[in-house]
Amino acid sequence: MATKQSATLLCTAIDKDGEPYTTQIVTFISPGLPYFSLIGMPDTFLSGARERIHTAMGAQGFTWPATRVTANIMPASRHKDGRAHELAVTASIMCASGILDPAMFDHAALIGRLDDDGDWHSGGRIQRVEHLPELVRHLATQDVRTIIIPAANTDVEPIDGVRFIRVSTLADLTSIDEGTLPACDHIDRLVDEARSIMDTRQEELLDACIRELEDAVDTLNSVIEQEDRDPNARESAAIAEAEQTIDELQGQLDTLDDKEREEY
């Protein structure tokens, strides 16, 4: 198998002096025994980052390359928050292995943390990033025209000439040109998951589903508000279905609470 190089993907970081700067991620897939080498990330992040990236791809249904993978974050020696690079590193691996088209990321940057709770069920979910407004403002000065950010970050203001794409999961990268469709699909998946456990009578599980649905609806509403428009039919249907499911889940919780009081 010939060595393949991914397109160079961009991210950003803040150095020790508090100054933002642009970083580049280049990934190589080359012949050899399966091994994942991650260069340029702080040592304290390396082991956990490798595990989160590998788990995220598998949990989202993507095949990990059965060979040597080398991801290089440059400049390697400059201070950076390794967690904020996890989405970009994963995307670069997906580009190098042919899952994503590198051309999708021309004049684009990715910023995002992968879920770190160790649960396969939540692997591949994208978490919010600290200092994101400052990071995207820097990228806007570097000829970056598209910035892919966590849907959980609602603290970013519009910037002239810059398109923000919000993603909730790693799988959303495969449909980043579809507007809010990934967010709506994410709500649909959460609704299906919620209905599958509706009768389990497990209070913690029901409560977790309610929180996830509320967060997903808040994220979608935030995007619609920032675009200063009314929700379209697809968005309205997803929000309505989520709100109905939240009511049903809350009803189950209330029933459990009533039964506990009766038994007491």
Side-chain angles (χ1 to χ4, degrees), residues 112-180:
R113 302 165 58 234
L114 296 176
D115 190 275
D116 59 357
D117 68 3
D119 182 4
W120 181 268
H121 175 73
S122 61
R125 292 179 180 169
I126 311 302
Q127 296 183 335
R128 73 185 309 277
V129 172
E130 298 296 327
H131 310 296
L132 190 59
E134 184 177 358
L135 294 172
V136 299
R137 284 196 296 270
H138 164 75
L139 287 171
T141 69
Q142 305 299 304
D143 197 32
V144 173
R145 295 293 171 259
T146 300
I147 306 177
I148 300 167
I149 62 175
N153 273 96
T154 57
D155 52 349
V156 175
E157 298 293 331
I159 299 176
D160 289 342
V162 176
R163 175 192 182 201
F164 290 108
I165 298 177
R166 291 168 169 80
V167 293
S168 298
T169 69
L170 197 59
D172 291 346
L173 291 178
T174 63
S175 55
I176 59 176
D177 287 327
E178 299 177 17
T180 58

Side-chain angles (χ1 to χ4, degrees), residues 68-114:
R68 185 176 182 85
V69 177
T70 303
N72 189 1
I73 307 174
M74 301 181 292
S77 60
R78 199 167 178 184
H79 174 81
K80 62 180 68 70
D81 176 4
R83 293 299 310 277
H85 285 73
E86 289 174 349
L87 176 60
V89 171
T90 311
S92 72
I93 295 170
M94 295 168 73
C95 285
S97 57
I99 298 171
L100 295 175
D101 180 1
M104 295 166 53
F105 303 105
D106 287 346
H107 300 285
L110 304 91
I111 311 171
R113 302 165 58 234
L114 296 176

